[in-house]
Amino acid sequence: MKTYILKTILTTSIIGLFMTSCNNSPTAKEEDVKEATQDLIDAEADLNQAEYDSISDFNTFKESIQLKLVENQKVIDDLKLKITSKGKVERDIDEVEINKLEKRNTDLRLKIENYEQGPAQKWELFKVDFNNELDDLGKSISEMADRNKKK
């Protein structure tokens, strides 16, 4: 008789545990769905804001770069005018260097105009590489201008 009572109590306890652990109430599921929907809406808003910020950052960067490239072109054009007063040999050497500088400036302008946005890491690498190339070009133009002032 003891074993029968123990089996009944044990079986009742196990059934009770299963019943209390299962929560199939529709209101709880409805709340979960509402919460998940709100999380999705928030994530979409964050994504849209990130895309807007990225586009805005790119456009700001592009405008500042284009101003620098226009300024570089003005300096290159001034250098072209200055070398006309030199002798033929010096002028030919300088023209080759100036043409290289002008090509690099044009290549950078095309590179920024044709850039298609991708992942954030790719954009950051592009920006760093582009700034390095632009700085190098600026130094080359300055060195050329300094050499022409000295002569």
Side-chain angles (χ1 to χ4, degrees):
M1 178 88 170
K2 274 183 162 180
T3 56
Y4 176 72
I5 293 175
L6 285 175
K7 284 182 185 179
T8 305
I9 291 174
L10 185 60
T11 305
T12 307
S13 299
I14 291 174
I15 291 173
L17 285 173
F18 280 124
M19 298 278 269
T20 58
S21 67
C22 296
N23 185 3
N24 291 331
S25 71
T27 56
K29 298 287 183 196
E30 203 172 292
E31 286 297 320
D32 290 345
V33 169
K34 284 181 183 178
E35 199 173 300
T37 303
Q38 186 59 44
D39 289 347
L40 180 62
I41 290 170
D42 293 344
E44 286 176 344
D46 290 345
L47 177 63
N48 290 336
Q49 184 63 41
E51 286 176 356
Y52 175 78
D53 291 346
S54 176
I55 291 169
S56 176
D57 182 36
F58 173 73
N59 288 335
T60 302
F61 179 76
K62 185 176 178 180
E63 288 173 11
S64 69
I65 291 301
Q66 287 174 334
L67 290 174
K68 289 178 184 177
L69 293 173
V70 167
E71 186 62 35
N72 284 349
Q73 190 60 47
K74 286 179 184 176
V75 173
I76 291 170
D77 291 341
D78 288 344
L79 288 172
K80 284 182 178 180
L81 290 174
K82 288 180 183 177
I83 65 167
T84 56
S85 62
K86 293 184 176 185
K88 175 137 175 66
V89 174
E90 288 178 325
R91 188 175 54 228
D92 289 345
I93 292 170
D94 285 347
E95 278 180 359
V96 169
E97 284 187 51
I98 289 173
N99 287 337
K100 286 179 184 177
L101 293 174
E102 191 169 31
K103 182 177 180 341
R104 286 173 59 193
N105 197 55
T106 302
D107 290 346
L108 287 175
R109 184 176 49 81
L110 291 174
K111 187 174 181 178
I112 193 70
E113 286 176 6
N114 295 329
Y115 178 75
E116 293 183 18
Q117 287 187 300
Q121 295 89 359
K122 185 177 177 186
W123 163 242
E124 291 301 322
L125 286 174
F126 173 83
K127 202 161 60 168
V128 169
D129 289 343
F130 192 90
N131 281 331
N132 288 339
E133 290 178 41
L134 187 63
D135 289 344
D136 187 46
L137 175 62
K139 288 176 188 174
S140 298
I141 292 172
S142 296
E143 289 171 4
M144 180 77 175
D146 288 344
R147 277 197 311 262
N148 281 321
K149 284 182 185 177
K150 292 177 183 176
K151 293 181 180 180

